[in-house]
Amino acid sequence: MGRDLTRRDFLRLSGAAAGITALAACAPGAPGDGTGVAQAEQAVIRYAGLEGMGATVERFILPWLEDVGYGWERGSFGQQELTDKIMQSVATDTYLADVFQFPSNARSDVINAGALYPIPDFVLDAIDFDDVLPSIVGTLSWGGQVYALPYDGDIHYSSFRKDLFADSAIAADFESKTGYQLDPESGAKTWDEWRAIAEHFTGWDWNGNGEEDDYGIATMNKRGDTLWWGFHSRATAYAKHPDDPSYFIDIDTGEARVNNPGFVRALTEWVEENQNWSPPGGTGFTYGDSLNAMNGGRVVQTYNWDAVTTAAAGEFSVIQGKQGYNHLPGSHEVYNHKEGGWESFEEPSAAPFLAFGGWVIAVSALTDDSVIEQVWNMTIELTKPESGIWFVTNLTGCSPYRFSQLEAVDEFATGPLQLGEEVAVDYLNAAKATLDHPNAVTDQAFGGWVQYRDALELGVSKAMANEIDPQGAMDEVAAAFDEISDRMGGKERQAELYRLTLGL
Amino acid sequence: MATAQRSVPPARGVLQFSIHDRLWKWLLLLPSLLMTTVLFIAPVVWTLYAAFTDLHLFRVGVETEWVGLYNFQKLLGNSSFWRTARNTVVFMLGVVPMQFLIGMVLAVCLDNVTRGLKLFRTWFLMPLMVSPVVVAFVIGRMLFQEDIGPINSLIRWLGFEGIPWLTHPNWAMFTIMVIDVWQWSSFMILMLMAGLQGVPYDLREAASIDGASFWQTFFRITLPLVLPIAATALLIRIIDAFKVVDIIMVLTGGGPGQATESVTLAIYRAGVKGGDLAFGSSQAYFLLLVMVVFGGAFLALTRRTMSQTKD
């Protein structure tokens, strides 16, 4: 059957179509195409960041933005979501924001794709870039060019119950049983000491609450959470030789190294420690669980990022002022991969892990020319020394990254964190000892880091669940690393990228 | 032709468009066809193409190449993938029958309730309205927390050892199943209640008068009449169970080891997070194939059962 369309019907349809077209025309231009900004009188800076950290940035920067008359839009994402969004926008060359925070491990993927503006000299001068620690400069640079601005100097450091280690009765008992001395100034100097401490403090009521809830350690072990950093912090002392810059893969051949005896020993010990001397569920602890166990006064030692700041906050902690800090423990034996054997060191060889490397601030290469000047001004305001000290001395999740911040004992001791002088000095010394350490291990950042991370987390997690023995687990991880390297363009290419991430 | 039968001339001033019926239908269908093509068919075809290449989202400066069946060969020889496939099937077989059973029992009980039915309906709707991530966090990570969680505290208070809910491979899968059953049994209850309300009361009453027992009435009259809606509910839940990802991600991250990793979580890890779109696509297609085969077999079985019941 045919159908008649009246003129009225036709006009209605035409009107509807015209209306839709008009609405589309009136809608703001797509971000990045310039129209949205160019048509507006006020320059609008778009920022993408984590929910918590982004809100802190916003709170900090809004008064300044109002003073200078810039507009502001903030995209807020969860941790995994932000990284995924950034990587997808980079891979598809689509605009996400003018300024975004991103994990420095992703620098190879992001910078190599040409997704960032190089930081101009006038910005570096304005934020006193010479004050930034060299190990942090490495996480901001690529091939000698700076592409990101410092915001957070993430590292893992050891934290321990200084008050218990200073208790003479406990110390005497510990020494008589283990042969080691408890040192309240340094904590465990080697992983052997760490293990002795873990075993000694498990199973008796040292926290005096009358309950059987006292354990030696808590570390981050959950797959898909922060296992990658938990494991490598435990492994670097055995697997990173001071004379050899390679750690994850060989910098010359690109072959995976993660199944050498150094890594296997670390995994074997880590599994044992977590199965025997950590709280119930400890083999699957998240980063937050490990912090809670420490701050709740139920374990005597851990290694972590934010142990000092959260321990200082009364709402999270019952151990304020009772913690000591140091770089990660070392080892008298280190596996020399090139020589193919273990090497003994009279003094423990430490290899502090620059875990994660911190969030950095970057400017998208897709930022419209009409706002680029305002964007640079905003990043200067956000990362200049006066702002930096505010971020690291408040409960923001940011850790020190400048020489001047490591000297700012008063700001940490009496500022918002209220660490007190003793804790502040310990904390800053631990940060300095880690960030300045000649054998510090830079986190994996040579491209495809998420895949390498997933592969390692799977293997280690299998060993932790006794599904496979540590050697078998690390063999699987090594095979997966090699396959990922091949898929990412070949082992030699990955080795070249690795050298670049190490500044070689 | 219908237009030829028209005898009344068009009113003055009315512009007439005579559009053939078939053309008119296609015109109306066009927006939906376009949307379906752009949003569904194109991505599905593109994903199929990706599965035959070495496409990687984060590999800069290296050309993407056609690799034929390499990704599928890799998939079939990959023990990790088969482990995720096994986990997914175990999960589906563990949760769907249990949800159906709970749903049917409660729906039959509620079918006889005359007062407060709306309250029960709302009550049972509530778990469905909560995000699985929230359910996994609140029930899973808090109630089942092994160290200081209330369930283990109670077990220890009773003098038993705490249970490794999330760190022992078998217990972890069990915990995930419990949470999924808690959340999605409500869906079965609501669907089956709707089905039961469609069963004519006089049929059951007649059976009762003829001396049929409750079970005879249930299996011979109620169940066959509810079967179409029960089959639909089961199919929806089976497909959902094959695609489970959220509660696993929050609760165990796929661990301990690989004990709880589902195929969808593996696809997410490879394709979305890892950027390996080629391998992720091949996994996705494999899952799609399994679901199509399983769904088809299930529907065929259901049709056969229904036709036998009619006979």
Side-chain angles (χ1 to χ4, degrees):
Chain A
M1 196 174 84
R3 177 187 166 122
D4 295 333
L5 190 67
T6 64
R7 187 165 53 192
R8 185 169 292 173
D9 290 338
F10 179 72
L11 288 172
R12 272 184 189 150
L13 281 170
S14 307
I20 290 165
T21 311
L23 276 173
C26 292
D33 64 6
T35 55
V37 171
Q39 287 169 7
E41 287 181 8
Q42 186 187 42
V44 176
I45 298 170
R46 295 189 175 92
Y47 179 87
L50 293 178
E51 285 154 13
M53 279 183 153
T56 307
V57 165
E58 184 171 89
R59 198 170 69 241
F60 177 84
I61 205 77
L62 270 183
W64 179 83
L65 289 166
E66 281 169 15
D67 281 351
V68 295
Y70 297 167
W72 171 259
E73 286 176 11
R74 177 169 67 91
S76 179
F77 303 95
Q79 182 147 338
Q80 287 302 328
E81 191 189 7
L82 176 64
T83 308
D84 292 346
K85 289 274 181 205
I86 291 170
M87 297 308 294
Q88 284 158 16
S89 76
V90 167
T92 54
D93 199 25
T94 50
Y95 174 92
L96 176 69
D98 300 315
V99 185
F100 53 82
Q101 66 170 116
F102 80 96
S104 59
N105 319 52
R107 60 187 179 275
S108 169
D109 295 328
V110 175
I111 297 170
N112 246 349
L116 303 182
Y117 258 113
I119 307 296
D121 286 344
F122 79 90
V123 175
L124 298 179
D125 291 342
I127 67 162
D128 190 10
F129 197 71
D130 291 340
D131 185 36
V132 178
L133 291 156
S135 51
I136 300 295
V137 171
T139 67
L140 307 167
S141 313
W142 193 255
Q145 170 68 50
V146 179
Y147 282 93
L149 293 165
Y151 173 67
D152 172 28
D154 269 344
I155 54 169
H156 265 186
Y157 44 85
S158 158
S159 60
F160 51 91
R161 286 293 297 274
K162 194 172 186 173
D163 59 324
L164 295 171
F165 289 13
D167 184 307
S168 55
I170 291 174
D173 185 41
F174 177 75
E175 189 173 358
S176 70
K177 287 177 178 163
T178 67
Y180 292 109
Q181 288 184 330
L182 277 178
D183 186 341
E185 296 307 315
S186 66
K189 288 184 279 293
T190 66
W191 288 110
D192 287 339
E193 281 182 40
W194 156 275
R195 287 165 61 75
I197 292 167
E199 185 173 12
H200 183 77
F201 281 90
T202 298
W204 58 280
D205 190 21
W206 50 259
N207 66 13
N209 66 357
E211 293 179 22
E212 294 175 8
D213 64 347
D214 315 80
Y215 300 91
I217 57 159
T219 58
M220 52 194 84
N221 315 317
K222 189 186 167 219
R223 188 179 169 209
D225 187 69
T226 44
L227 190 156
W228 167 274
W229 296 284
F231 174 70
H232 282 303
S233 283
R234 185 65 182 79
T236 51
Y238 294 153
K240 172 65 177 67
H241 192 280
D243 298 335
D244 184 355
S246 301
Y247 174 72
F248 302 101
I249 60 173
D250 192 292
I251 58 164
D252 297 318
T253 65
E255 296 281 343
R257 283 192 168 189
V258 286
N259 59 341
N260 75 30
F263 285 96
V264 174
R265 175 174 167 183
L267 179 57
T268 307
E269 293 181 355
W270 203 44
V271 168
E272 187 190 11
E273 290 155 16
N274 278 288
Q275 290 181 347
N276 295 300
W277 308 318
S278 73
T283 54
F285 267 7
T286 62
Y287 154 56
D289 291 334
S290 68
L291 264 184
N292 291 339
M294 187 74 194
N295 294 335
R298 303 177 58 246
V299 299
V300 295
Q301 55 185 0
T302 185
Y303 48 83
N304 218 306
W305 288 285
D306 298 322
V308 68
T309 47
T310 54
E315 60 199 295
F316 303 125
S317 169
V318 298
I319 59 165
Q320 289 119 307
K322 295 177 180 174
Q323 255 191 131
Y325 305 92
N326 200 354
H327 63 67
L328 293 169
S331 172
H332 288 290
E333 299 90 36
V334 180
Y335 187 75
N336 187 332
H337 191 91
K338 280 188 173 168
E339 301 296 327
W342 288 92
E343 198 171 310
S344 293
F345 288 76
E346 194 171 326
E347 285 297 312
S349 168
F353 187 39
L354 306 179
F356 190 65
W359 294 95
V360 298
I361 301 291
V363 175
S364 168
L366 298 175
T367 297
D368 196 279
D369 288 345
S370 62
V371 291
I372 191 67
E373 187 186 334
Q374 290 86 342
V375 163
W376 290 127
N377 290 341
M378 177 264 178
T379 55
I380 289 170
E381 182 62 24
L382 186 64
T383 60
K384 67 186 185 182
E386 299 85 342
S387 306
I389 194 70
W390 185 90
F391 277 97
V392 298
T393 56
N394 277 273
L395 197 58
T396 60
C398 294
S399 304
Y401 56 84
R402 287 176 176 273
F403 288 109
S404 58
Q405 290 166 355
L406 296 178
E407 305 301 326
V409 175
D410 283 350
E411 284 84 343
F412 282 93
T414 60
L417 287 174
Q418 290 288 310
L419 296 183
E421 190 173 345
E422 190 181 349
V423 173
V425 168
D426 270 6
Y427 171 56
L428 293 174
N429 283 343
K432 197 174 189 174
T434 299
L435 290 161
D436 268 356
H437 201 285
N439 197 32
V441 175
T442 302
D443 203 353
Q444 203 276 30
F446 47 82
W449 72 283
V450 176
Q451 280 188 284
Y452 290 98
R453 179 183 155 188
D454 281 344
L456 181 120
E457 292 197 346
L458 173 59
V460 170
S461 177
K462 279 179 169 178
M464 191 68 85
N466 293 330
E467 285 187 17
I468 188 169
D469 67 274
Q471 181 69 61
M474 296 316 287
D475 285 344
E476 279 189 9
V477 176
F481 269 35
D482 285 342
E483 200 209 333
I484 295 164
S485 294
D486 288 339
R487 281 175 85 83
M488 292 301 294
K491 294 187 188 75
E492 284 184 8
R493 183 174 182 273
Q494 291 299 87
E496 185 189 339
L497 293 176
Y498 189 23
R499 289 196 295 275
L500 278 166
T501 67
L502 299 177
L504 298 173
Chain B
M1 292 282 287
T3 43
Q5 292 167 6
R6 275 194 168 281
S7 55
V8 183
R12 202 178 160 197
V14 175
L15 179 65
Q16 281 221 327
F17 291 84
S18 187
I19 302 173
H20 192 277
D21 191 34
R22 191 177 291 175
L23 184 63
W24 179 243
K25 280 177 188 167
W26 278 109
L27 201 62
L28 288 174
L29 274 173
L30 197 60
S32 348
L33 282 174
L34 275 175
M35 294 283 274
T36 312
T37 307
V38 171
L39 299 178
F40 177 69
I41 295 172
V44 165
V45 172
W46 189 86
T47 307
L48 184 62
Y49 160 76
F52 290 93
T53 69
D54 65 350
L55 181 64
H56 198 293
L57 206 55
F58 309 143
R59 189 181 52 195
V60 182
V62 180
E63 288 297 312
T64 298
E65 289 179 2
W66 180 266
V67 296
L69 290 169
Y70 171 78
N71 289 313
F72 292 96
Q73 283 170 344
K74 182 183 163 191
L75 188 69
L76 297 176
N78 187 328
S79 61
S80 281
F81 171 74
W82 287 113
R83 180 70 194 271
T84 61
R86 195 184 84 185
N87 291 341
T88 307
V89 172
V90 167
F91 174 80
M92 188 274 289
L93 292 176
V95 298
V96 177
M98 188 54 69
Q99 287 163 357
F100 182 75
L101 192 68
I102 292 172
M104 184 59 87
V105 169
L106 287 175
V108 169
C109 293
L110 289 172
D111 194 40
N112 296 317
V113 170
T114 50
R115 294 183 67 182
L117 192 60
K118 279 185 184 170
L119 178 71
F120 282 117
R121 268 196 200 137
T122 312
W123 196 314
F124 286 119
L125 201 60
M126 282 168 70
L128 294 178
M129 294 161 76
V130 183
S131 154
V133 173
V134 175
V135 172
F137 188 80
V138 173
I139 297 185
R141 290 209 68 80
M142 292 176 82
L143 286 186
F144 287 98
Q145 213 275 356
E146 289 168 31
D147 187 13
I148 51 174
I151 295 177
N152 263 5
S153 297
L154 178 68
I155 290 171
R156 285 196 202 98
W157 182 75
L158 292 170
F160 300 102
E161 283 281 308
I163 293 172
W165 297 109
L166 300 171
T167 51
H168 184 280
N170 296 342
W171 280 112
M173 180 57 91
F174 173 79
T175 307
I176 287 169
M177 286 178 178
V178 166
I179 291 163
D180 194 78
V181 166
W182 179 85
Q183 180 161 38
W184 289 101
S185 291
S186 309
F187 171 78
M188 285 289 187
I189 295 168
L190 293 172
M191 290 289 282
L192 294 172
M193 270 176 71
L196 285 171
Q197 282 168 9
V199 178
Y201 182 70
D202 50 358
L203 276 181
R204 285 185 274 180
E205 193 179 30
S208 176
I209 290 166
D210 288 343
S213 68
F214 169 81
W215 293 113
Q216 284 172 322
T217 310
F218 178 75
F219 283 111
R220 301 273 175 86
I221 295 173
T222 312
L223 194 56
L225 289 170
V226 173
L227 202 56
I229 205 159
T232 308
L234 274 169
L235 189 63
I236 291 172
R237 282 304 305 143
I238 287 168
I239 290 170
D240 274 351
F242 268 125
K243 295 189 296 184
V244 64
V245 66
D246 34 23
I247 58 172
I248 294 175
M249 215 154 127
V250 175
L251 269 184
T252 62
Q258 209 182 0
T260 58
E261 189 170 41
S262 66
V263 175
T264 311
L265 182 55
I267 293 170
Y268 168 74
R269 282 198 162 124
V272 179
K273 274 185 71 192
D276 193 345
L277 293 179
F279 190 55
S281 298
S282 65
Q283 286 176 296
Y285 258 91
F286 188 88
L287 180 64
L288 178 67
L289 186 71
V290 170
M291 283 164 60
V292 166
V293 169
F294 198 92
F298 178 80
L299 286 177
L301 188 70
T302 308
R303 270 193 222 107
R304 202 171 128 194
T305 309
M306 283 196 291
S307 67
Q308 280 174 349
T309 312
K310 274 181 192 168
D311 295 340

